[in-house]
Amino acid sequence: MLLRILFFILGIVGSLHVNADTLPAALRDGSTRFLSRSLGSACYTLDSVQRGLPCNPASVAKERKARFDADFFIGTQAEYLKEAENLLSGKDDEASVAKFFSRRESIDAEISIEASFQSSKWGVSIEPYRLVAVTRFENPALPMVDMIIAEEQSVKGQIASYVHDNFYAGLQARYTHVKFIGQYFALSEAVAGDSQDIFEAETQDLIYLEPGILYAWEDLAWQPQISAMLAHWGVSSRKTEQYPIQPEGLLGVSIKPVVPLGLLELGFQLEVHSQTQNARDAFRGALAYKLGILQAVLSVSDYDHAAGFLVSYKSFSTGLSYWNENDNRGVFIQFGVTL
Protein backbone atom coordinates (compact mmCIF):
# COMPACT_ATOMS: atom_id res chain seq x y z
CA MET A 1 0.00 0.00 0.00
CA LEU A 2 2.78 2.45 0.93
CA LEU A 3 4.64 1.83 -2.35
CA ARG A 4 1.47 2.33 -4.38
CA ILE A 5 0.87 5.68 -2.69
CA LEU A 6 4.50 6.72 -3.29
CA PHE A 7 4.42 5.80 -7.00
CA PHE A 8 1.18 7.76 -7.36
CA ILE A 9 2.81 10.81 -5.71
CA LEU A 10 5.94 10.55 -7.86
CA GLY A 11 3.80 10.23 -10.97
CA ILE A 12 2.05 13.51 -10.17
CA VAL A 13 5.35 15.25 -9.42
CA GLY A 14 7.12 13.98 -12.52
CA SER A 15 4.36 15.28 -14.78
CA LEU A 16 4.78 18.89 -13.61
CA HIS A 17 7.22 21.47 -14.89
CA VAL A 18 8.33 24.74 -13.26
CA ASN A 19 10.85 27.43 -14.00
CA ALA A 20 14.21 26.87 -12.29
CA ASP A 21 14.66 30.53 -11.21
CA THR A 22 12.96 30.27 -7.82
CA LEU A 23 13.59 31.21 -4.23
CA PRO A 24 15.76 28.45 -2.68
CA ALA A 25 13.59 25.64 -1.29
CA ALA A 26 15.11 26.04 2.17
CA LEU A 27 13.60 29.55 2.27
CA ARG A 28 10.05 28.66 1.21
CA ASP A 29 9.32 25.18 2.59
CA GLY A 30 7.10 26.39 5.42
CA SER A 31 8.68 24.23 8.13
CA THR A 32 10.25 25.39 11.38
CA ARG A 33 13.37 27.36 10.56
CA PHE A 34 15.82 25.41 12.74
CA LEU A 35 14.59 22.09 11.34
CA SER A 36 14.62 23.17 7.69
CA ARG A 37 18.08 24.76 7.99
CA SER A 38 19.72 21.93 9.95
CA LEU A 39 17.98 18.83 8.57
CA GLY A 40 16.73 19.93 5.16
CA SER A 41 14.12 17.54 3.77
CA ALA A 42 15.18 14.95 6.38
CA CYS A 43 12.99 16.80 8.88
CA TYR A 44 10.08 14.91 7.28
CA THR A 45 11.63 11.65 8.50
CA LEU A 46 13.41 12.38 11.79
CA ASP A 47 11.22 13.20 14.78
CA SER A 48 13.63 13.37 17.74
CA VAL A 49 14.33 17.08 17.06
CA GLN A 50 11.18 18.87 18.20
CA ARG A 51 10.62 22.55 17.42
CA GLY A 52 7.22 23.81 16.39
CA LEU A 53 4.92 21.57 14.36
CA PRO A 54 6.48 18.45 12.81
CA CYS A 55 7.34 18.56 9.12
CA ASN A 56 5.21 15.46 8.47
CA PRO A 57 1.67 16.11 9.80
CA ALA A 58 1.12 12.39 10.47
CA SER A 59 3.61 12.68 13.34
CA VAL A 60 1.10 14.81 15.29
CA ALA A 61 -0.89 11.66 16.07
CA LYS A 62 2.12 10.27 17.96
CA GLU A 63 2.08 13.15 20.46
CA ARG A 64 1.04 12.23 23.98
CA LYS A 65 0.88 15.69 25.55
CA ALA A 66 0.29 19.30 24.53
CA ARG A 67 3.22 21.64 23.75
CA PHE A 68 3.54 25.35 22.96
CA ASP A 69 6.63 26.67 21.13
CA ALA A 70 7.61 30.25 20.35
CA ASP A 71 10.74 30.91 18.28
CA PHE A 72 12.75 33.89 17.11
CA PHE A 73 15.11 33.15 14.21
CA ILE A 74 17.79 35.41 12.75
CA GLY A 75 20.57 34.80 10.24
CA THR A 76 23.88 36.36 9.43
CA GLN A 77 24.06 39.61 7.43
CA ALA A 78 21.06 40.92 9.35
CA GLU A 79 22.44 44.44 8.87
CA TYR A 80 21.01 44.31 5.31
CA LEU A 81 17.45 43.69 6.45
CA LYS A 82 16.59 47.29 7.35
CA GLU A 83 17.63 48.50 3.89
CA ALA A 84 15.85 45.53 2.31
CA GLU A 85 12.64 46.40 4.14
CA ASN A 86 12.95 50.01 2.97
CA LEU A 87 13.23 48.89 -0.66
CA LEU A 88 10.22 46.62 -0.22
CA SER A 89 8.23 49.52 1.27
CA GLY A 90 8.91 51.75 -1.73
CA LYS A 91 11.73 53.81 -0.21
CA ASP A 92 13.99 53.19 -3.21
CA ASP A 93 15.82 56.51 -3.32
CA GLU A 94 19.41 56.66 -4.54
CA ALA A 95 20.86 56.71 -1.01
CA SER A 96 18.95 53.57 0.10
CA VAL A 97 19.85 51.65 -3.05
CA ALA A 98 23.51 52.66 -2.89
CA LYS A 99 23.74 51.62 0.77
CA PHE A 100 22.15 48.22 0.13
CA PHE A 101 24.56 47.37 -2.73
CA SER A 102 27.61 49.20 -1.39
CA ARG A 103 29.61 46.07 -0.49
CA ARG A 104 28.71 44.15 -3.65
CA GLU A 105 28.54 40.80 -1.87
CA SER A 106 26.09 37.94 -2.02
CA ILE A 107 23.47 38.08 0.72
CA ASP A 108 21.47 35.46 2.62
CA ALA A 109 19.68 37.44 5.33
CA GLU A 110 16.59 36.30 7.20
CA ILE A 111 14.56 37.04 10.32
CA SER A 112 11.32 35.46 11.51
CA ILE A 113 8.99 35.03 14.48
CA GLU A 114 6.84 31.91 14.86
CA ALA A 115 4.52 30.47 17.51
CA SER A 116 2.83 27.07 17.50
CA PHE A 117 0.59 24.88 19.65
CA GLN A 118 0.54 21.11 19.29
CA SER A 119 -1.74 18.63 21.01
CA SER A 120 -2.71 15.03 20.40
CA LYS A 121 -3.97 14.70 16.81
CA TRP A 122 -3.85 18.40 15.89
CA GLY A 123 -1.67 21.49 15.84
CA VAL A 124 -1.62 25.07 14.61
CA SER A 125 1.11 27.66 14.05
CA ILE A 126 1.33 31.30 13.01
CA GLU A 127 4.24 33.24 11.58
CA PRO A 128 3.23 36.92 11.71
CA TYR A 129 6.50 38.26 10.34
CA ARG A 130 9.29 36.88 8.19
CA LEU A 131 11.72 38.90 6.09
CA VAL A 132 14.13 37.34 3.59
CA ALA A 133 16.78 39.01 1.40
CA VAL A 134 18.79 36.95 -1.11
CA THR A 135 21.09 38.53 -3.71
CA ARG A 136 23.74 37.14 -6.05
CA PHE A 137 26.34 39.11 -8.03
CA GLU A 138 27.51 37.97 -11.46
CA ASN A 139 30.01 39.29 -14.06
CA PRO A 140 32.44 41.56 -12.10
CA ALA A 141 33.18 43.68 -15.20
CA LEU A 142 29.52 44.68 -15.60
CA PRO A 143 27.86 43.58 -12.33
CA MET A 144 24.50 41.86 -12.70
CA VAL A 145 22.32 41.26 -9.66
CA ASP A 146 19.87 38.40 -9.07
CA MET A 147 17.74 39.59 -6.12
CA ILE A 148 14.75 38.48 -4.07
CA ILE A 149 13.44 40.43 -1.08
CA ALA A 150 10.29 39.01 0.50
CA GLU A 151 8.08 39.66 3.51
CA GLU A 152 5.73 36.83 4.52
CA GLN A 153 2.88 36.13 6.91
CA SER A 154 1.65 32.56 7.19
CA VAL A 155 -0.58 30.24 9.20
CA LYS A 156 -0.83 26.47 9.09
CA GLY A 157 -2.80 23.70 10.73
CA GLN A 158 -2.32 19.97 11.04
CA ILE A 159 -4.69 17.12 11.82
CA ALA A 160 -3.73 13.46 12.14
CA SER A 161 -5.02 10.16 13.40
CA TYR A 162 -3.90 6.64 14.23
CA VAL A 163 -5.40 4.46 11.51
CA HIS A 164 -4.43 0.84 12.14
CA ASP A 165 -1.49 -1.36 13.11
CA ASN A 166 1.40 1.19 13.42
CA PHE A 167 -0.08 3.35 10.63
CA TYR A 168 -0.73 7.09 11.05
CA ALA A 169 -2.14 9.55 8.53
CA GLY A 170 -2.27 13.34 8.58
CA LEU A 171 -2.96 16.46 6.55
CA GLN A 172 -1.36 19.90 6.69
CA ALA A 173 -3.09 23.03 5.35
CA ARG A 174 -1.11 26.27 5.17
CA TYR A 175 -1.69 29.74 3.83
CA THR A 176 1.04 32.24 2.98
CA HIS A 177 0.75 35.87 1.95
CA VAL A 178 3.94 37.27 0.48
CA LYS A 179 5.04 40.70 -0.68
CA PHE A 180 8.24 40.52 -2.69
CA ILE A 181 10.64 42.03 -5.19
CA GLY A 182 12.23 39.53 -7.55
CA GLN A 183 14.44 40.93 -10.29
CA TYR A 184 17.56 40.31 -12.39
CA PHE A 185 19.20 43.59 -13.42
CA ALA A 186 22.44 45.46 -14.04
CA LEU A 187 23.76 47.21 -10.94
CA SER A 188 24.27 50.37 -12.97
CA GLU A 189 20.51 50.52 -13.59
CA ALA A 190 19.75 50.36 -9.87
CA VAL A 191 22.10 53.17 -8.84
CA ALA A 192 21.31 55.45 -11.78
CA GLY A 193 18.26 56.86 -10.02
CA ASP A 194 15.65 55.42 -12.41
CA SER A 195 14.91 52.27 -10.36
CA GLN A 196 11.14 52.50 -9.94
CA ASP A 197 10.42 49.48 -12.16
CA ILE A 198 13.23 47.40 -10.65
CA PHE A 199 12.02 47.78 -7.07
CA GLU A 200 8.29 47.57 -7.69
CA ALA A 201 6.83 45.11 -5.17
CA GLU A 202 4.42 42.30 -6.05
CA THR A 203 2.04 40.31 -3.84
CA GLN A 204 0.98 36.68 -3.95
CA ASP A 205 -1.25 34.36 -1.92
CA LEU A 206 -0.58 30.62 -1.72
CA ILE A 207 -2.64 27.79 -0.22
CA TYR A 208 -1.14 24.33 0.26
CA LEU A 209 -2.72 20.98 1.14
CA GLU A 210 -0.03 18.46 2.08
CA PRO A 211 -0.96 14.88 3.05
CA GLY A 212 1.46 12.65 4.92
CA ILE A 213 1.56 9.08 6.23
CA LEU A 214 3.75 7.30 8.75
CA TYR A 215 4.44 3.69 9.73
CA ALA A 216 6.01 3.74 13.22
CA TRP A 217 6.97 0.60 15.13
CA GLU A 218 7.29 2.28 18.53
CA ASP A 219 7.29 -1.01 20.45
CA LEU A 220 10.51 -2.27 18.79
CA ALA A 221 13.96 -1.57 20.27
CA TRP A 222 15.22 0.66 17.44
CA GLN A 223 11.77 2.22 16.78
CA PRO A 224 12.00 2.08 12.96
CA GLN A 225 9.59 4.19 10.95
CA ILE A 226 8.75 4.86 7.30
CA SER A 227 7.27 8.18 6.24
CA ALA A 228 5.83 9.52 2.98
CA MET A 229 4.43 12.91 2.07
CA LEU A 230 3.31 15.07 -0.82
CA ALA A 231 4.69 18.53 -0.01
CA HIS A 232 4.17 21.95 -1.68
CA TRP A 233 0.97 20.83 -3.42
CA GLY A 234 -1.55 23.64 -3.71
CA VAL A 235 -2.83 26.68 -5.57
CA SER A 236 -1.62 30.25 -6.02
CA SER A 237 -3.31 33.56 -6.71
CA ARG A 238 -0.91 34.10 -9.61
CA LYS A 239 2.00 32.45 -11.39
CA THR A 240 5.49 33.70 -10.50
CA GLU A 241 9.01 32.36 -10.86
CA GLN A 242 9.89 33.24 -7.27
CA TYR A 243 7.03 31.35 -5.58
CA PRO A 244 5.98 28.52 -7.89
CA ILE A 245 3.69 25.64 -7.04
CA GLN A 246 6.31 22.89 -7.10
CA PRO A 247 5.06 19.62 -5.54
CA GLU A 248 7.58 17.21 -4.06
CA GLY A 249 7.26 13.51 -3.28
CA LEU A 250 9.10 12.48 -0.10
CA LEU A 251 9.85 8.99 1.19
CA GLY A 252 12.05 8.41 4.22
CA VAL A 253 13.14 5.85 6.80
CA SER A 254 14.64 6.35 10.24
CA ILE A 255 15.82 4.32 13.22
CA LYS A 256 16.86 5.06 16.79
CA PRO A 257 19.76 2.67 17.55
CA VAL A 258 20.30 1.89 21.20
CA VAL A 259 23.42 3.68 22.46
CA PRO A 260 24.96 3.69 25.96
CA LEU A 261 24.34 7.41 26.48
CA GLY A 262 21.76 9.74 25.02
CA LEU A 263 19.40 9.29 22.07
CA LEU A 264 20.66 8.70 18.53
CA GLU A 265 18.48 8.88 15.42
CA LEU A 266 19.57 8.10 11.86
CA GLY A 267 17.49 8.79 8.75
CA PHE A 268 17.56 8.64 4.95
CA GLN A 269 15.28 10.69 2.73
CA LEU A 270 14.29 10.38 -0.93
CA GLU A 271 13.03 13.69 -2.36
CA VAL A 272 11.70 13.81 -5.93
CA HIS A 273 10.39 16.84 -7.82
CA SER A 274 10.35 18.22 -11.37
CA GLN A 275 14.00 19.34 -11.21
CA THR A 276 15.41 16.05 -9.94
CA GLN A 277 18.05 15.02 -12.48
CA ASN A 278 19.26 11.67 -11.08
CA ALA A 279 19.22 9.42 -8.03
CA ARG A 280 22.11 11.24 -6.36
CA ASP A 281 20.09 14.48 -6.38
CA ALA A 282 17.24 12.80 -4.53
CA PHE A 283 18.99 11.21 -1.52
CA ARG A 284 19.79 12.84 1.81
CA GLY A 285 21.24 11.38 4.99
CA ALA A 286 20.86 12.89 8.45
CA LEU A 287 21.51 12.15 12.10
CA ALA A 288 20.51 13.67 15.41
CA TYR A 289 22.11 12.95 18.78
CA LYS A 290 20.77 14.16 22.11
CA LEU A 291 22.74 14.06 25.35
CA GLY A 292 21.33 15.91 28.31
CA ILE A 293 20.51 19.49 27.39
CA LEU A 294 22.49 19.38 24.11
CA GLN A 295 21.20 18.12 20.77
CA ALA A 296 23.42 18.01 17.66
CA VAL A 297 22.18 17.46 14.09
CA LEU A 298 23.86 16.86 10.73
CA SER A 299 22.39 16.67 7.22
CA VAL A 300 24.21 15.84 3.96
CA SER A 301 23.13 15.52 0.34
CA ASP A 302 24.93 15.66 -3.00
CA TYR A 303 24.38 19.41 -3.37
CA ASP A 304 24.33 20.80 0.19
CA HIS A 305 25.19 20.11 3.81
CA ALA A 306 24.19 21.54 7.16
CA ALA A 307 25.02 21.15 10.83
CA GLY A 308 23.55 22.60 13.97
CA PHE A 309 23.08 22.25 17.69
CA LEU A 310 20.26 23.04 20.07
CA VAL A 311 20.68 23.68 23.81
CA SER A 312 17.58 23.41 25.99
CA TYR A 313 17.33 24.32 29.67
CA LYS A 314 13.97 24.09 31.39
CA SER A 315 11.55 25.98 29.12
CA PHE A 316 14.18 27.86 27.14
CA SER A 317 16.34 26.87 24.17
CA THR A 318 18.86 28.36 21.80
CA GLY A 319 20.35 26.90 18.65
CA LEU A 320 22.84 27.61 15.91
CA SER A 321 22.79 26.18 12.39
CA TYR A 322 25.26 26.35 9.50
CA TRP A 323 23.93 25.74 5.99
CA ASN A 324 25.85 25.52 2.69
CA GLU A 325 24.42 24.99 -0.80
CA ASN A 326 26.84 25.75 -3.63
CA ASP A 327 27.34 29.54 -3.37
CA ASN A 328 24.57 29.95 -0.78
CA ARG A 329 25.69 29.70 2.83
CA GLY A 330 25.02 31.21 6.20
CA VAL A 331 24.91 30.83 9.97
CA PHE A 332 21.54 31.11 11.68
CA ILE A 333 20.62 31.55 15.33
CA GLN A 334 17.37 30.60 17.02
CA PHE A 335 15.96 31.47 20.45
CA GLY A 336 12.87 29.70 21.75
CA VAL A 337 10.59 28.95 24.64
CA THR A 338 8.58 25.74 25.15
CA LEU A 339 5.65 25.42 27.55
Side-chain angles (χ1 to χ4, degrees), residues 226-239:
I226 301 173
S227 65
M229 185 169 173
L230 177 60
H232 309 301
W233 184 52
V235 295
S236 175
S237 61
R238 54 195 295 251
K239 182 180 180 180

Side-chain angles (χ1 to χ4, degrees), residues 133 147 159 211 223 266 271-272 274 283 285 303 308 313:
M147 181 188 76
I159 56 172
Q223 301 180 44
L266 302 174
E271 177 185 12
V272 179
S274 60
F283 280 98
Y303 57 89
Y313 179 71

Side-chain angles (χ1 to χ4, degrees), residues 66-266:
R67 188 179 82 244
F68 170 82
D69 291 322
D71 292 289
F72 172 74
F73 183 88
I74 187 168
T76 53
Q77 301 177 314
E79 67 272 14
Y80 285 100
L81 291 174
K82 180 59 178 176
E83 285 77 25
E85 190 171 42
N86 287 339
L87 295 178
L88 196 60
S89 301
K91 302 174 183 177
D92 53 347
D93 56 87
E94 289 186 49
S96 298
V97 173
K99 187 175 181 180
F100 185 75
F101 294 109
S102 60
R103 279 176 273 186
R104 299 194 183 186
E105 63 178 348
S106 295
I107 300 171
D108 279 290
E110 181 179 1
I111 187 171
S112 69
I113 301 170
E114 184 176 12
S116 66
F117 177 79
Q118 180 180 351
S119 186
S120 177
K121 298 185 179 181
W122 68 277
V124 62
S125 78
I126 182 170
E127 193 171 28
Y129 180 76
R130 182 180 180 221
L131 182 64
V132 175
V134 180
T135 66
R136 296 288 173 266
F137 278 86
E138 302 175 4
N139 187 14
L142 180 61
M144 301 294 296
V145 183
D146 191 359
M147 181 188 76
I148 299 176
I149 298 174
E151 183 181 298
E152 300 178 14
Q153 294 83 38
S154 63
V155 61
K156 63 183 174 183
Q158 296 180 344
I159 56 172
S161 178
Y162 168 75
V163 180
H164 175 71
D165 193 23
N166 304 313
F167 178 47
Y168 301 86
L171 178 68
Q172 175 172 274
R174 59 186 175 103
Y175 164 76
T176 297
H177 172 77
V178 58
K179 179 181 180 182
F180 68 94
I181 300 170
Q183 294 284 359
Y184 181 77
F185 54 89
L187 183 58
S188 57
E189 295 180 72
V191 299
D194 187 18
S195 56
Q196 184 176 358
D197 292 338
I198 295 177
F199 300 113
E200 184 177 357
E202 305 176 61
T203 61
Q204 188 173 353
D205 296 287
L206 303 107
I207 298 176
Y208 299 94
L209 289 177
E210 301 167 305
I213 59 175
L214 179 69
Y215 279 90
W217 291 268
E218 299 173 83
D219 53 337
L220 299 182
W222 284 23
Q223 301 180 44
Q225 61 182 27
I226 301 173
S227 65
M229 185 169 173
L230 177 60
H232 309 301
W233 184 52
V235 295
S236 175
S237 61
R238 54 195 295 251
K239 182 180 180 180
T240 66
E241 296 178 350
Q242 291 77 20
Y243 285 85
I245 297 297
Q246 183 179 334
E248 297 179 351
L250 298 130
L251 175 66
V253 297
S254 68
I255 55 174
K256 297 183 177 73
V258 178
V259 295
L261 294 173
L263 172 66
L264 175 66
E265 185 174 22
L266 302 174

Side-chain angles (χ1 to χ4, degrees), residues 264-303:
L264 175 66
E265 185 174 22
L266 302 174
F268 294 93
Q269 182 77 50
L270 175 68
E271 177 185 12
V272 179
H273 50 75
S274 60
Q275 297 179 39
T276 303
Q277 302 277 328
N278 50 58
R280 290 178 58 184
D281 290 341
F283 280 98
R284 176 182 297 276
L287 66 84
Y289 179 67
K290 184 176 183 180
L291 180 61
I293 65 172
L294 176 65
Q295 191 161 25
V297 297
L298 176 68
S299 172
V300 178
S301 74
D302 190 52
Y303 57 89

